[in-house]
Amino acid sequence: MMNEEYVTLALPKGRLLAPSLCVLRSLGIPSDALDEIDRRLCVFDRDSGFRYLLVRPSDVVTYVSEGAADLGIVGKDTLLEKPGSVYELYDLGFGRCHLAVAAEKEMAKQHCDNPGNLYRSRGLPLRIATKYPRTTEKHFRTYGLDTHIIALRGSIELAPLVGLADVIVDLVSSGRTLKANQLAEVEFLADVTARLIANPVSLKVHRRMGTLLEPLRRTAEAGKDEPGC
Amino acid sequence: MLLTAAKDFSQLTKRRRGDMYSNLGRMIERTRIMREHVSILRETFDAWAYDEVIVPVLTDHELFRRQNPLPSSALYKMIDGEGEVLVLRPDMTAPLAHMAAGQWRDVPRPIRLCYFGEVYRRRLNGRGTHTLTQAGVELLGAEEPEADAELIALAAEALCALGVRQFQINLGHNGLLAELSDVLDLSPGEDDELRSALADRDLVGARDVLERRRHCGLVEPLLRIFAPGATADHLALLAELGESLRGLHRLRHIFEAAMDLGVHERVQIDVSLAGDFSYYTGAIFEMYCPQSGARLGVGGRYDGLLGSFGSPGAATGFALDLDMIQEAAACHEKAGRQKTCLVVADGHRRRTAYQRAAQLRDEGHRVAVKMIGDGPVGREIESWARARDYDSVIVIDACGCEHTRSASTRTGGGYDE
């Protein structure tokens, strides 16, 4: 239930958590309560009136859209899968990586200048393994190809190696994982950074929301998208 | 075509029975609430000087071909004896606009009308049909922003009267985004980008597009009205900056009138609102329940529609979706409603039973009578009555004496003598 007094923040567990806490601090939100993280998933900070929920990154949007949290921090990749259910307020600038199509190294080299040819050379339907079925479907629609999207939860890089898929769509940051699995990037899809999202109703009715977001608004206005630590 | 319509129609009745009226008690309850809602709305609309009209169920197909609010495949079409194509009304606005532009051409404006009834549309993406029970109003021949504000206030009053406590009215303007993209000099690609960002509530994407255009002064005020919670001050600030934004000025005037009407607390500016129907030409508004996201109704200005029927004129209106409202309305509690009683008697006391029933009806109760054979009335009559949703049972015994038994499992208990 949405709480009038408390502001509830849904934070992603994993690699985005540390920089998220950093941003919270820069907003003047004390996240000390979260520093000694044990196994608790819900942390109250009674002094400041904040409540933190630690959830799976892919569930942050759901917590916020359903009103269980007022605000959330989540990667743009997850938002692309669920457009329109929450307000995407600010680009927080950290967690930078990108979504890309990748294929076997040799194949990628052969068709490095024209990904369309690579997709067509594989015979139809083109099998694509990904964690992001919606984004993938939308992207490949522009090619007008017959595609078969294989939705996986993790270890996407494995799919082309064992013949489960022809290509994959996944997040790439350093490219090391691709390299280690004899894969190479074929096509760029979208830039991904962490975003601050808000529940539409909270944004309108929660009394603390305006003052809370003011520092971010000023940072954005000044043209800096990355509030420092 | 006729066959398809007939087949869909039988599906429609089946679906309604299946989906909404899966049991008799629910069907009766829904009907009762629907009738109650219509009578409340009739009073509300009447108090604002709107006169009720009945819109013909079968209308000329031509009406929906000229300025097509819905794709042709969404219409139920049939052919009459003379080979004319008729449609089951998919919407009440177009037939009324047609009459306003034709038969009522010389009636002094403004005309205030209201209507109640069902509209029929085929579901386009899925299978099956779509019957909406609507209650709506049309205000014909009034072009001032106060007319739009009047409808917003009337819609708010109607929803309150129906017991919908939590609702929100989103107000937008059909031409606003086009004007914005003119003022900001957006390319068609950027225009698409901005529209889809707003539809996805992606303010980061919207900011990207705006910043590319280097209208620095406009970016923040624009983003402020793109986000929820925008107020008249935000609109005023933006209106000063963008003098050529006519839609925005209009919205501001409507919002100010809504403030005078005391409904602005319910109103939220939503620039991405575009309306389902292509005939909207100005302000558009949608009423919805913020918790469930259910859309309770939609309205807007359609100044072009009368013109397309040969007599140009301003017009605005709204329609409420009574099925959705019934789900949202918090008037399901039965505490205050009249009691339903069962009068039970054996054959010898039939006259007494009928007299008692008539007396109870006079007192405002709902009464059914059941005759049973000779012999005493047992306990089982209570469970019999409970299964049929009676609140109380009045047993008239062989001596003509009356015993009241509560049958109700509902709150409020049995019938008090």
Side-chain angles (χ1 to χ4, degrees):
Chain A
M1 289 300 280
M2 233 177 291
N3 193 302
E4 278 291 321
E5 297 298 321
Y6 283 89
V7 174
T8 305
L9 281 141
L11 301 175
K13 290 197 281 189
R15 70 185 180 95
L16 289 181
L17 186 59
S20 296
L21 297 182
C22 202
V23 167
L24 293 186
R25 247 169 252 137
S26 77
L27 282 175
I29 302 174
S31 51
D32 305 344
L34 281 167
D35 283 350
E36 321 94 54
I37 288 180
D38 34 36
R39 302 185 74 93
R40 283 180 305 164
L41 300 175
C42 177
V43 181
F44 261 106
D45 188 343
R46 284 180 207 285
D47 303 331
S48 59
F50 284 97
R51 184 167 66 159
Y52 308 94
L53 309 179
L54 296 165
V55 302
R56 257 181 83 109
S58 54
D59 289 339
V60 171
V61 180
T62 311
Y63 276 83
V64 175
S65 68
E66 299 290 327
D70 302 302
L71 293 170
I73 292 178
V74 69
K76 177 69 179 172
D77 52 328
T78 320
L79 279 172
L80 286 171
E81 285 294 300
K82 291 177 181 170
S85 54
V86 293
Y87 272 97
E88 184 180 333
L89 297 178
Y90 295 103
D91 185 345
L92 299 173
F94 63 82
R96 192 173 291 279
C97 51
H98 63 274
L99 271 175
V101 185
E104 271 179 285
K105 213 163 39 183
E106 293 306 310
M107 217 162 67
K109 209 190 268 172
Q110 242 176 48
H111 299 279
C112 58
D113 44 355
N114 192 339
N117 285 348
L118 186 154
Y119 305 147
R120 278 180 212 100
S121 73
R122 299 298 297 173
L124 297 177
L126 180 73
R127 296 165 307 149
I128 314 158
T130 184
K131 272 194 274 189
Y132 309 100
R134 192 183 177 278
T135 318
T136 303
E137 203 264 338
K138 198 175 158 199
H139 175 74
F140 279 90
R141 213 185 297 147
T142 57
Y143 283 98
L145 288 172
D146 185 12
T147 54
H148 174 50
I149 293 169
I150 300 161
L152 297 176
R153 295 295 182 87
S155 306
I156 313 294
E157 292 83 0
L158 184 62
L161 301 183
V162 297
L164 176 62
D166 301 309
V167 295
I168 63 168
V169 170
D170 203 13
L171 279 183
V172 182
S173 53
S174 65
R176 271 188 301 233
T177 318
L178 289 184
K179 211 166 170 188
N181 290 292
Q182 289 87 49
L183 299 174
E185 206 175 312
V186 178
E187 197 184 4
F188 169 90
L189 250 72
D191 268 319
V192 172
T193 47
R195 307 288 161 101
L196 182 73
I197 59 171
N199 175 278
V201 181
S202 303
L203 202 54
K204 190 181 177 206
V205 304
H206 209 300
R207 272 170 277 152
R208 290 176 62 188
M209 213 52 94
T211 43
L212 191 62
L213 298 174
E214 188 56 24
L216 273 178
R217 200 187 61 78
R218 262 184 276 125
T219 322
E221 202 170 0
K224 286 190 298 174
D225 273 340
E226 296 174 43
C229 288
Chain B
M1 187 61 72
L2 200 56
L3 260 177
T4 344
K7 199 172 131 205
D8 277 349
F9 204 77
S10 80
Q11 260 177 15
L12 173 148
T13 26
K14 259 186 229 156
R15 283 178 75 86
R16 292 215 85 164
R17 277 205 299 266
D19 296 354
M20 296 168 57
Y21 301 139
S22 55
N23 66 57
L24 182 61
R26 230 173 118 202
M27 179 170 179
I28 292 171
E29 190 62 7
R30 284 195 80 104
T31 310
R32 188 186 66 77
I33 296 173
M34 187 69 80
R35 294 282 177 239
E36 201 174 293
H37 282 183
V38 168
S39 85
I40 292 170
L41 288 173
R42 194 171 274 134
E43 264 175 45
T44 310
F45 295 161
D46 187 58
W48 287 64
Y50 284 76
D51 293 308
E52 185 178 349
V53 287
I54 294 176
V55 177
V57 175
L58 278 174
T59 52
D60 195 350
H61 184 218
E62 281 300 310
L63 287 191
F64 296 94
R65 259 162 76 168
R66 282 195 216 163
Q67 186 148 2
N68 198 0
L70 289 162
S72 177
S73 54
L75 307 180
Y76 281 99
K77 304 184 201 80
M78 50 201 79
I79 300 167
D80 74 359
E82 277 131 42
E84 292 292 322
V85 182
L86 301 174
V87 292
L88 276 178
R89 60 183 183 208
D91 157 46
M92 305 274 203
T93 301
L96 287 175
H98 180 247
M99 284 190 268
Q103 289 106 304
W104 312 333
R105 187 189 293 252
D106 301 322
V107 178
R109 304 299 203 246
I111 305 176
R112 288 182 163 82
L113 299 175
C114 67
Y115 58 79
F116 306 92
E118 292 186 314
V119 296
Y120 310 89
R121 294 169 197 168
R122 281 185 70 184
R123 255 186 233 281
L124 294 178
N125 34 9
R127 290 173 305 266
T129 57
H130 200 35
T131 308
L132 298 167
T133 311
Q134 289 191 335
V137 303
E138 311 290 353
L139 174 46
L140 305 159
E143 56 193 342
E144 62 280 1
E146 286 79 11
D148 299 279
E150 173 178 324
L151 289 196
I152 292 171
L154 179 52
E157 189 172 316
L159 289 173
C160 287
L162 293 178
V164 184
R165 287 190 196 96
Q166 299 234 311
F167 65 90
Q168 163 183 325
I169 300 178
N170 279 20
L171 172 66
H173 193 285
N174 221 13
L176 184 59
L177 281 183
E179 283 174 5
L180 257 184
S181 90
D182 262 3
V183 168
L184 297 172
D185 196 22
L186 300 183
S187 68
E190 286 170 328
D191 184 52
D192 280 351
E193 229 177 294
L194 181 62
R195 279 171 196 266
S196 82
L198 289 178
D200 288 350
R201 293 172 166 171
D202 173 6
L203 301 182
V204 175
R207 178 188 291 276
D208 257 10
V209 179
L210 296 179
E211 277 176 351
R212 245 178 280 156
R213 285 286 128 194
R214 297 269 156 238
H215 282 267
C216 303
L218 277 176
V219 175
E220 287 307 319
L222 270 177
L223 284 168
R224 195 62 198 80
I225 66 158
F226 289 165
T231 63
D233 293 343
H234 297 120
L235 280 178
L237 174 67
L238 192 57
E240 272 167 35
L241 292 167
E243 281 174 13
S244 53
L245 294 172
R246 282 180 29 245
L248 201 65
H249 282 277
R250 179 87 188 181
L251 275 189
R252 183 186 161 200
H253 290 138
I254 296 171
F255 198 88
E256 281 165 0
M259 281 170 83
D260 287 343
L261 281 158
V263 287
H264 62 287
E265 294 281 335
R266 301 277 196 181
V267 179
Q268 150 136 35
I269 305 294
D270 182 352
V271 284
S272 62
L273 214 60
D276 300 346
F277 282 179
S278 54
Y279 57 56
Y280 287 129
T281 54
I284 313 169
F285 57 98
E286 289 185 350
M287 289 69 84
Y288 67 91
C289 177
Q291 271 71 35
S292 66
R295 194 168 74 169
L296 308 175
V298 57
R301 183 160 281 283
Y302 50 97
D303 289 346
L305 191 60
L306 269 70
S308 79
F309 294 131
S311 162
T316 173
F318 70 76
L320 299 173
D321 181 336
L322 293 185
D323 292 310
M324 285 306 217
I325 286 173
Q326 193 167 136
E327 268 157 45
C331 58
H332 288 263
E333 77 265 21
K334 298 168 187 166
R337 64 165 219 168
Q338 45 180 191
K339 300 278 195 291
T340 308
C341 322
L342 179 68
V343 174
V344 184
D346 70 22
H348 304 297
R349 292 289 165 190
R350 193 165 66 187
R351 183 191 297 259
T352 323
Y354 285 150
Q355 281 169 349
R356 183 71 181 111
Q359 190 192 350
L360 285 166
R361 287 188 195 110
D362 279 347
E363 289 168 14
H365 299 290
R366 310 173 65 229
V367 190
V369 180
K370 179 177 167 61
M371 294 299 155
I372 50 168
D374 295 341
V377 179
R379 280 257 157 234
E380 58 272 23
I381 193 69
E382 284 165 36
S383 54
W384 188 91
R386 194 178 301 125
R388 286 156 187 79
D389 250 4
Y390 291 100
D391 296 298
S392 67
V393 186
I394 294 166
V395 181
I396 296 170
D397 67 15
C399 332
C401 297
E402 198 172 289
H403 309 275
T404 304
R405 291 175 187 179
S406 164
S408 179
T409 50
R410 299 163 173 167
T411 48
Y415 171 68
D416 303 318
E417 263 300 274

